[in-house]
Amino acid sequence: MSSMLSFVLENVPSDWEPVSTYTKSYVLFDVQDQSVESERIKTMFNSTLLNINSIRRVQNPFQYGRFKLRQEMLNNNLEEETVFHVVQENDLETALKYTCDYRRYNRIYRYRCEATNKHPLFYSNIQSAVSNLSSFNNGCVLVVNKIPGITKTQSDYYIQYVVDFK
């Protein structure tokens, strides 16, 4: 197991911060305002007219490693799409820890997901995600990288960023 983790940690995205030990499955890092990374994420949200309060990068080598293995298994190493997932602030830790497993979310949102899909609700455009954000108190948007097509497993995606609004 540690050799697999070591391999994943040697092959993480270039913008990840070095972490000596993961005491839980993920670590959040504030993305520096005015950085290239920050500007890239803000550009995705330009059309929403919402004021971004913070952008945090999610570094979860376990989830990322599963995603890369799934890509390899599907012979799909280069194709990824960015999608968005809306979550209430009180469900954020659950979403990050359990890879957007909506069955662990609060009841109202969980039933809305179960009625429509076996997997979390992913929005392909930010306008759709933000229109659903208004139905949440203290909600945030997760920026997710996903293998294109129908989501079949939790290994088909990984959470890249948490975006909070003012």
Side-chain angles (χ1 to χ4, degrees):
M1 173 72 168
S2 68
S3 62
M4 178 66 101
L5 179 58
S6 296
F7 180 78
V8 170
L9 290 174
E10 291 170 9
N11 295 284
V12 296
S14 60
D15 53 3
W16 278 26
E17 303 288 331
V19 175
S20 58
T21 305
Y22 282 85
T23 56
K24 58 183 179 177
S25 61
Y26 67 91
V27 177
L28 293 175
F29 285 95
D30 291 329
V31 173
Q32 298 302 313
D33 201 26
Q34 307 301 318
S35 68
V36 172
E37 186 178 18
S38 170
E39 294 305 316
R40 184 170 45 84
I41 301 305
K42 287 178 182 177
T43 300
M44 291 181 197
F45 289 83
N46 276 348
S47 63
T48 67
L49 303 177
L50 293 173
N51 292 320
I52 294 176
N53 185 44
S54 69
I55 301 171
R56 294 174 284 172
R57 183 184 332 102
V58 179
Q59 292 187 192
N60 184 333
F62 307 99
Q63 187 181 25
Y64 180 75
R66 288 188 330 198
F67 176 79
K68 296 312 269 183
L69 285 170
R70 178 80 169 142
Q71 275 188 315
E72 180 75 24
M73 185 182 93
L74 296 173
N75 291 319
N76 184 4
N77 291 331
L78 299 176
E79 287 188 57
E80 296 177 11
E81 64 182 349
T82 300
V83 295
F84 307 94
H85 179 64
V86 179
V87 64
Q88 286 187 325
E89 189 67 38
N90 63 359
D91 284 326
L92 179 59
E93 187 172 337
T94 301
L96 296 175
K97 183 176 180 181
Y98 297 107
T99 320
C100 299
D101 186 348
Y102 65 86
R103 296 169 296 177
R104 297 174 182 266
Y105 293 177
N106 73 61
R107 289 183 65 179
I108 294 169
Y109 186 70
R110 183 175 67 225
Y111 291 127
R112 196 164 64 172
C113 286
E114 288 173 347
T116 59
N117 203 344
K118 292 181 182 179
H119 297 286
L121 288 173
F122 291 130
Y123 299 98
S124 58
N125 68 61
I126 191 58
Q127 292 294 11
S128 297
V130 167
S131 69
N132 284 293
L133 182 65
S134 62
S135 65
F136 289 87
N137 268 344
N138 299 319
C140 55
V141 174
L142 304 180
V143 179
V144 178
N145 264 19
K146 178 182 162 312
I147 295 171
I150 297 170
T151 301
K152 295 186 178 176
T153 74
Q154 285 185 326
S155 298
D156 286 355
Y157 55 89
Y158 73 97
I159 305 164
Q160 268 194 305
Y161 298 97
V162 177
V163 180
D164 297 296
F165 303 94
K166 294 179 184 173

